Amino acid sequence: MFAALAAWLRQRRVPFQENAAIGPHLVLGIGGAVRLLIRPRDAGQRLVVLRHLAGGGERPYLVIGGGSNIAFPDGLVQAAVLLAQGGKTPPAPLLFADEGAVEVDAGMRNQPFLAWCAASGAGGFEFLSGIPGTLGGAAAVNAGAFGRSMSDVLLAADIVDGQGRQRRVNAAHFGFRYRDSSFKLGCEALLTLRLRHDPGSGEAIAARTREYLEYRVTRHPSYRLASAGCFFKNPQVGGAKISAGKIIEESGLKNTTLGALAVAAEHANFLLNRGGGTFADLQRLEEKIRAAVAARTGIVLEREVIYVSPDGKKY
Ligand SMILES: Cc1cc2nc3c(=O)[nH]c(=O)nc-3n(C[C@H](O)[C@H](O)[C@H](O)COP(=O)(O)OP(=O)(O)OC[C@H]3O[C@@H](n4cnc5c(N)ncnc54)[C@H](O)[C@@H]3O)c2cc1C
């Protein structure tokens, strides 16, 4: 099944590797290998490959963006993984000033997008400042910060659906929830996003982008350390969201280590991979935290970070 796909990719000169290490492509750095790792050269090639993958029936595949919210198991995952990243020269976003909208390639990374926003006077996306990854990944997980998230700005998207058809969907198709959408665990792929922008001065946008980044840099673990951001969702208690980091800290778990993994000293909802961390250890640490928090508070924490099964399913 993968041999035929490899031959198809080779014929079309799509860059790919067989039995490729996946850890180096993930910010947390946890994962063994994947059967095929596909790295399309540009958005056009990405579309052709996605249509082929989705139209091909039962062959397992999944799409990742910046790999900043996902961990893979330690062994070989029997799936084709497509890296949906903008590449060296991602297509520039398009500004539709009259319509208050921006269209952007889903593989574009958040930080270059914010630089473009400041240069173009497209405000409203500064909450993405300091969130690693791509806009497609951000939309799939409904990423957010500072009281805003992708569901507040997303108007529509061009996608490849589960049957390999390219089509435009509106925001309702995402079924947005807190840090979740139908794309998070689904197999549909995002190609282009249409986002609502608030016109603003470039200087004000750049200043807010810097301010948000500074807030993070002073309160979160260093960006040089491997993490996946907040590991657990903030639980809803008595109608209000409470900080998972605070509960983990109050349960006395800051600085807890397990193998090469550690609960960060700066923010207890960040689990750090200090080098060579395994998926098995990550799962053990997750359970240890969940059990300690449940015993102390009765709250069962829900994982925000995505896991992949050995047969290539996200969960
Ligand atoms: C230091 C740090 C800080 C963080 N801070 C925040 C924060 O403040 N708020 C927050 O919400 N998150 C935060 N995160 C988590 C993460 O960065 C975000 O969730 C990010 O938006 C994920 O984007 P990504 O491209 O890396 O997605 P990935 O991890 O690559 O993928 C995440 C999901 O999106 C899907 N996906 C990716 N691209 C596509 C596509 N083109 N089409 C369809 N599906 C796709 C994947 O299949 C997967 O289900 C942080 C992470 C780190 C490491």
Side-chain angles (χ1 to χ4, degrees):
M1 139 169 87
F2 292 104
L5 177 57
W8 185 91
L9 293 165
R10 216 170 275 121
Q11 232 173 27
R12 283 156 187 81
R13 299 183 192 285
V14 179
F16 73 97
Q17 288 165 267
E18 295 185 72
N19 304 321
I22 188 70
H25 300 281
L26 309 176
V27 177
L28 182 58
I30 289 188
V34 297
R35 194 63 190 78
L36 289 183
L37 181 66
I38 309 171
R39 310 183 71 172
R41 287 183 207 286
D42 52 34
Q45 202 174 58
R46 194 191 315 149
L47 169 62
V48 171
V49 177
L50 283 168
R51 293 193 67 170
H52 182 74
L53 288 172
E58 79 292 352
R59 190 192 307 116
Y61 71 93
L62 63 127
V63 178
I64 61 172
S68 61
N69 207 21
I70 193 161
F72 280 62
D74 296 319
L76 177 66
V77 172
Q78 294 292 341
V81 174
L82 180 138
L83 289 187
Q85 297 174 353
K88 286 198 184 88
T89 47
L94 297 173
L95 181 65
F96 297 91
D98 296 350
E99 300 162 37
V102 165
E103 283 195 9
V104 59
D105 182 86
M108 186 164 194
R109 289 192 177 263
N110 301 337
Q111 307 319 307
F113 175 62
L114 289 173
W116 176 88
C117 288
S120 312
F125 310 113
E126 299 88 296
F127 68 92
L128 289 169
S129 180
I131 301 183
T134 60
L135 286 153
V141 305
N142 193 15
F146 305 105
R148 252 169 109 76
S149 63
M150 288 300 284
S151 56
D152 294 315
V153 296
L154 192 129
L155 297 169
D158 292 318
I159 69 163
V160 172
D161 70 14
Q163 284 74 47
R165 292 175 305 212
Q166 181 181 358
R167 60 194 181 102
R168 180 156 278 213
V169 297
N170 60 21
H173 184 85
F174 282 72
F176 280 124
R177 292 177 301 279
Y178 165 60
R179 299 291 175 267
D180 200 2
S181 86
S182 61
F183 290 84
K184 182 167 177 173
L185 299 184
C187 69
E188 293 184 320
L190 294 157
L191 303 169
T192 309
L193 308 180
R194 187 172 171 88
L195 308 172
R196 184 190 2 253
H197 80 86
D198 308 324
S201 90
E203 273 165 32
I205 294 167
R208 210 159 27 244
T209 301
R210 267 196 314 274
E211 185 193 315
Y212 285 168
L213 184 62
E214 276 158 24
Y215 179 95
R216 287 170 169 280
V217 168
T218 51
R219 286 168 178 80
H220 293 174
S222 160
Y223 274 81
R224 286 192 298 278
L225 300 171
S227 83
C230 285
F231 191 85
F232 295 100
K233 292 181 178 177
N234 290 329
Q236 183 98 13
V237 178
K241 285 243 155 37
I242 59 169
S243 158
K246 196 158 181 288
I247 315 174
I248 298 169
E249 179 177 351
E250 286 166 0
S251 302
L253 294 162
K254 253 189 182 181
N255 290 317
T256 299
T257 60
L258 201 158
L261 301 170
V263 178
E266 298 84 352
H267 190 311
N269 201 11
F270 278 61
L271 306 189
L272 305 176
N273 177 4
R274 297 174 303 167
T278 64
F279 187 67
D281 281 348
L282 181 64
Q283 287 182 304
R284 277 196 280 273
L285 184 55
E286 174 189 357
E287 278 319 313
K288 186 171 176 174
I289 294 169
R290 188 175 286 121
V293 167
R296 194 180 151 272
T297 64
I299 297 167
V300 179
L301 291 175
E302 194 187 329
R303 178 163 39 81
E304 182 174 322
V305 170
I306 300 154
Y307 285 169
V308 177
S309 71
D311 58 354
K313 297 210 172 51
K314 299 185 276 187
Y315 66 102

